[in-house]
Amino acid sequence: MVMSLPPEQPVARFLDVLAALESERRWFQGVSALRFAAVSALCCPGSADDVAQGIRRTADALHEASSWLGPFRSDMRFIVGAMLLLHGQDPEALIEEIKSVQALFRKAGLRRGGTYEAMAALLLWLGKEGQAVVDEDVARFQEIYEQMKKYQWWLTGPDDFPACAVLTGQAEDPVVIGERIESIY
């Protein structure tokens, strides 16, 4: 990982990175994704301009590598670009890993999830520090997903895939995770 310690002045850092990102924003682009990207990039080393250029470069690579209806054709690519920059990961490697994880999801019988599936693949991959996601990771992911469905079957769907991916990195048993989620809900 290439991330540095949190800045002493996080609000100032956020505003600097956001201003650098907005300096090249086109009139038709929204600002929300850039705000999330700036927050995600708080711990990226380098000047605000360097970080913004890195995010843009990574976002452009994601855009080019994505299919016409792919998840990174939207402004979400800036947020993902910031996450990849923060973790020192390559956008092309992410695209390949998403394809691999999607194949593992199909093999496990998981529903298609579009953008949620891509985000889950990203989070699983970053949780393993860029190492390939394997069958065991997907099995744990699926166990957590099934535990969530056990309690809220009418609410739980592919939009919960990113949360399940984050929870996959937790040490507790999936049953315990499901019980804790339900107690919070």
Side-chain angles (χ1 to χ4, degrees):
M1 265 187 223
V2 296
M3 69 177 89
S4 61
L5 294 173
E8 287 185 27
Q9 301 290 323
V11 174
R13 174 71 170 178
F14 164 77
L15 292 172
D16 290 345
V17 172
L18 179 60
L21 283 169
E22 282 193 313
S23 71
E24 295 183 34
R25 182 171 67 94
R26 297 191 179 119
W27 65 270
F28 56 85
Q29 278 184 305
V31 72
S32 295
L34 298 181
R35 288 179 182 146
F36 283 109
V39 166
S40 299
L42 281 177
C43 295
C44 286
S47 71
D49 288 332
D50 290 343
V51 169
Q53 287 304 315
I55 292 170
R56 286 203 174 279
R57 207 172 26 257
T58 306
D60 289 345
L62 287 169
H63 188 263
E64 288 176 22
S66 202
S67 64
W68 181 252
L69 297 174
F72 304 123
R73 298 299 281 196
S74 72
D75 285 346
M76 184 179 73
R77 71 184 180 275
F78 293 103
I79 302 164
V80 174
M83 293 171 71
L84 292 176
L85 185 66
L86 179 67
H87 291 274
Q89 297 295 338
D90 180 59
E92 288 81 19
L94 170 63
I95 298 295
E96 291 306 312
E97 188 62 21
I98 287 172
K99 291 175 186 173
S100 173
V101 171
Q102 287 174 329
L104 292 173
F105 278 11
R106 298 299 80 76
K107 182 177 164 186
L110 287 161
R111 294 171 52 185
R112 293 187 184 277
T115 300
Y116 301 115
E117 187 173 74
M119 291 305 293
L122 167 70
L123 294 168
L124 285 168
W125 185 61
L126 290 179
K128 293 185 65 160
E129 297 183 10
Q131 298 298 310
V133 176
V134 295
D135 286 321
E136 293 79 23
D137 302 318
V138 173
R140 181 166 171 78
F141 171 94
Q142 188 172 25
E143 287 178 55
I144 292 168
Y145 179 69
E146 294 300 328
Q147 285 300 312
M148 291 172 70
K149 280 179 59 174
K150 178 175 133 181
Y151 294 104
Q152 305 289 339
W153 60 268
W154 61 95
L155 293 176
T156 305
D159 55 326
D160 293 302
F161 282 3
C164 292
V166 170
L167 292 169
T168 299
Q170 298 298 306
E172 289 94 358
D173 183 82
V175 172
V176 174
I177 290 172
E179 290 169 350
R180 288 183 62 210
I181 291 169
E182 182 58 20
S183 71
I184 292 168
Y185 183 75

